[in-house]
Amino acid sequence: MLVQIARPYASALFDVARSENQLASVETALSDVSRLLGESEDFSTFLKSPAITTEAKASAMNTIIERSQTNPLVANVLRLMARNGRLFVLPQMIEAFKAMAAESRGEITADVTSASPLNDGQVSALRDALAARVGKSVTLNQHVDASLIGGLQVKIGSQMIDSSLKTKLSAMKIAMKEVG
């Protein structure tokens, strides 16, 4: 549902950025906004809060935009989303834009979750293996989840590859319950 609300904003921003040859700078600016959302729980809560009026959110967003000197195209879409009361879908809009930009470059994005951070060699080997499998250049979004114990979970589009120890142990536990 949220993606359906966010997609028109992402699509419009993508079309304008592409026509003005600003895809890279817009994507960088959106990455900065995304990082701010991830680093500041207060900011993220502020955007999602129904208790804060649309006018207050628009005013605060305008102040943030002026101080950050972000890309003008990104600033315009943020102001529009704020005026329309749609800031709560900002993370989904950013993801949709990045997916469109990656597709236009012939890339595909894979979400990789590991038990501990991957080193550069592991990232490179994983990227190469996935690229060989899908036949496209692969961009990795890395996440860490210590509960996996070991191994990886890789999601490319709707396909999920789960080689985590957590999943293997769960499968063994179910198999042992069936035997005993």
Side-chain angles (χ1 to χ4, degrees), residues 87-124:
L87 286 174
F88 65 94
V89 296
L90 186 55
Q92 290 81 9
M93 188 281 292
I94 293 170
E95 291 218 9
F97 180 91
K98 287 183 174 185
M100 290 176 201
E103 184 177 328
S104 75
R105 291 188 301 264
E107 295 176 353
I108 192 163
T109 301
D111 289 313
V112 178
T113 305
S114 58
S116 61
L118 301 176
N119 64 39
D120 292 340
Q122 292 169 323
V123 169
S124 179

Side-chain angles (χ1 to χ4, degrees), residues 28-178:
T28 300
L30 288 175
S31 292
D32 292 342
V33 173
S34 183
R35 188 172 47 254
L36 176 61
L37 286 169
E39 291 174 356
S40 174
E41 189 174 323
D42 290 339
F43 183 60
S44 185
T45 302
F46 167 78
L47 295 180
K48 294 175 187 173
S49 176
I52 301 171
T53 66
T54 300
E55 294 80 22
K57 288 180 184 180
S59 175
M61 184 57 70
N62 200 39
T63 301
I64 292 168
I65 291 167
E66 288 172 2
R67 290 185 182 172
S68 68
Q69 299 176 353
T70 190
N71 178 290
L73 298 178
V74 173
N76 287 340
V77 81
L78 291 175
R79 285 185 180 110
L80 178 64
M81 290 177 76
R83 275 196 315 267
N84 292 342
R86 298 294 191 228
L87 286 174
F88 65 94
V89 296
L90 186 55
Q92 290 81 9
M93 188 281 292
I94 293 170
E95 291 218 9
F97 180 91
K98 287 183 174 185
M100 290 176 201
E103 184 177 328
S104 75
R105 291 188 301 264
E107 295 176 353
I108 192 163
T109 301
D111 289 313
V112 178
T113 305
S114 58
S116 61
L118 301 176
N119 64 39
D120 292 340
Q122 292 169 323
V123 169
S124 179
L126 180 59
R127 185 179 293 123
D128 293 345
L130 293 173
R133 182 175 179 148
V134 297
K136 292 183 178 181
S137 176
V138 177
T139 301
L140 299 180
N141 288 335
Q142 298 181 57
H143 310 280
V144 176
D145 180 359
S147 73
L148 295 181
I149 304 169
L152 298 171
Q153 290 178 335
V154 180
K155 184 175 184 222
I156 302 175
S158 62
Q159 185 179 19
M160 176 74 139
I161 304 165
D162 190 343
S163 66
S164 67
L165 290 178
K166 178 181 179 180
T167 301
K168 290 178 181 180
L169 289 171
S170 293
M172 286 175 61
K173 182 178 179 182
I174 291 169
M176 291 177 78
K177 281 184 179 179
E178 290 176 1

